[in-house]
Amino acid sequence: MFYENSTWKKHKSCGTTSLLPMTPKKPQQWLQVVGHAGSFHVGDYGTLLKRFCEGEQQCYLRLMEDTLRPFVPAYHGVVQRDEQDYNMMDNLLTHFNTPAIMDCKMGSRTYLERELLLARERPQPRNDMYEKMVAVDPEAPTVQERAQQAVLKTRYMQWRETLSSTTSLGFRIEGFKKSNEECHTNFKRTKSREQVMTAFTNFVESNTHIVWGYLRRLKELRQVLEESVFFRTHEVVGSSLLFLHDWKGRTGVWMIDFGKTAVLPAHLTLDHRTPWVEGNREDGYLWGLDNLIDILSNMLPLT
């Protein structure tokens, strides 16, 4: 969802949210893509405050020492406001003029392996998740689930991923906003390459210069990811790529949202392309990035 919000809320979870503050017409207005309203605040001197999450803090501290540093917001430590702790980082919108903004959630799954294990430890059929399922697809529940009017959380989590391009392409579009404030968030059933390409064409408004800018940045990111110590030693789940461009033709892509990123046991590393089988911790991030680069490449005229 996109939100405009000037209120404060506290949240217990350490999930992934992407906040995009509006070009300041009113200083305390917010634009947020698929996240929790109230998790962010604009800080001083081009910074952004994000509700504190210890796991995310640890990721940023490691990323500041990694080759991926140019591809993530610079991290400036923890600050407190109204008795609430916040991670302070660069506001990526500072150097753009009324930018268009897109959030792509990367990887072939958006839940951690430990979330599946926890859900199995308490295998309680959930009526609320059944209702969510039938709201999207009335034919999705099995005969048994329909009789119970409930589904297990593990079943719901895995079913949900099959609806979008998460399982078919290794990423999904969460939402985007054009520079004219036109918002698009209905991508739950956007699954095929053709559908994704149509959405991106709409986002860049058929501007090949913008596509070239994004492609250059994504190819640079892929090269650095393949060499990054941080990347091969972490299960990167629920993280997004933030795309920004403006009317001057400036483009940028950054990795954001590390609230669910988990460090691996010392003996384990990931290649981020091997298909996920429970236990191998693979997240499909690079497979998704390969597909994203391929789709953008196909948007360009043949030369």
Side-chain angles (χ1 to χ4, degrees):
M1 297 282 180
F2 284 82
Y3 301 95
E4 288 182 22
N5 197 325
S6 59
T7 61
W8 287 88
K9 295 179 185 176
K10 293 185 180 179
H11 295 271
K12 296 177 183 175
S13 69
C14 189
T16 59
T17 62
S18 314
L19 175 115
L20 313 166
M22 294 176 68
T23 304
K25 295 169 186 169
K26 298 179 182 176
Q28 293 303 315
Q29 275 192 314
W30 302 94
L31 175 69
Q32 189 169 3
V33 183
V34 282
H36 301 291
S39 297
F40 300 83
H41 192 64
V42 174
D44 297 327
Y45 310 109
T47 61
L48 185 71
L49 309 183
K50 182 176 181 183
R51 180 176 42 82
F52 181 76
C53 166
E54 186 177 359
E56 189 158 38
Q57 176 202 33
Q58 293 305 309
C59 284
Y60 274 114
L61 290 171
R62 294 180 199 123
L63 283 163
M64 291 302 97
E65 305 297 322
D66 191 80
T67 52
L68 279 171
R69 181 171 181 159
F71 295 90
V72 300
Y75 181 68
H76 304 293
V78 181
V79 296
Q80 193 172 76
R81 179 169 292 189
D82 298 333
E83 300 182 359
Q84 173 70 48
D85 287 342
Y86 291 88
N87 283 318
M88 182 166 66
M89 62 198 74
D90 278 359
N91 182 345
L92 297 171
L93 277 70
T94 301
H95 301 295
F96 289 84
N97 196 326
T98 318
I101 305 159
M102 176 184 276
D103 180 307
C104 278
K105 197 167 289 292
M106 300 302 294
S108 54
R109 57 189 167 92
T110 59
Y111 50 83
L112 291 164
E113 287 198 1
R114 68 166 177 256
E115 290 182 272
L116 275 182
L117 292 171
L118 284 170
R120 284 204 194 99
E121 286 173 9
R122 295 184 283 272
Q124 199 64 32
R126 297 271 297 268
N127 175 259
D128 58 330
M129 291 183 174
Y130 174 85
E131 295 296 335
K132 286 181 182 178
M133 182 183 277
V134 295
V136 175
D137 183 359
E139 302 302 312
T142 63
V143 173
Q144 183 181 2
E145 287 165 347
R146 203 167 281 118
Q148 289 183 312
Q149 299 276 290
V151 297
L152 293 173
K153 184 178 180 180
T154 49
R155 152 90 164 123
Y156 176 78
M157 287 162 67
Q158 293 175 305
W159 166 81
R160 183 184 57 189
E161 304 289 52
T162 65
L163 297 176
S164 70
S165 55
T166 291
T167 51
S168 58
L169 294 173
F171 72 92
R172 70 171 182 248
I173 298 170
E174 291 284 87
F176 67 80
K177 178 191 78 80
K178 294 182 173 184
S179 58
N180 65 0
E181 305 294 330
E182 179 185 314
C183 295
H184 297 260
T185 58
N186 188 21
F187 296 105
K188 287 186 174 68
R189 305 300 288 269
T190 299
K191 190 167 185 173
S192 70
R193 284 174 180 267
E194 294 72 27
Q195 289 173 313
V196 171
M197 193 181 294
T198 298
F200 260 96
T201 301
N202 185 8
F203 173 59
V204 302
E205 301 186 78
S206 303
N207 186 328
T208 54
H209 172 78
I210 300 296
V211 178
W212 273 116
Y214 282 145
L215 262 178
R216 278 193 297 271
R217 179 74 168 172
L218 289 173
K219 287 178 178 179
E220 290 168 5
L221 171 61
R222 179 167 64 183
Q223 186 174 351
V224 175
L225 284 170
E226 289 174 337
E227 300 164 356
S228 163
V229 174
F230 176 92
F231 194 57
R232 67 171 168 265
T233 57
H234 286 76
E235 179 184 7
V236 184
V237 167
S239 181
S240 289
L241 287 180
L242 182 69
F243 291 76
L244 296 171
H245 68 264
D246 64 19
W247 61 273
K248 291 187 175 181
R250 286 176 293 205
T251 57
V253 183
W254 288 268
M255 299 173 71
I256 59 170
D257 291 343
F258 300 100
K260 290 174 87 168
T261 293
V263 66
L264 297 166
H267 66 279
L268 189 61
T269 59
L270 303 183
D271 65 34
H272 302 275
R273 285 191 176 100
T274 298
W276 175 62
V277 177
E278 193 172 347
N280 74 1
R281 305 286 291 271
E282 288 288 352
D283 52 42
Y285 193 110
L286 274 180
W287 174 59
L289 185 54
D290 290 339
N291 284 323
L292 186 50
I293 288 170
D294 186 57
I295 287 168
L296 289 179
S297 298
N298 285 321
M299 289 170 60
L300 294 170
L302 293 172
T303 54

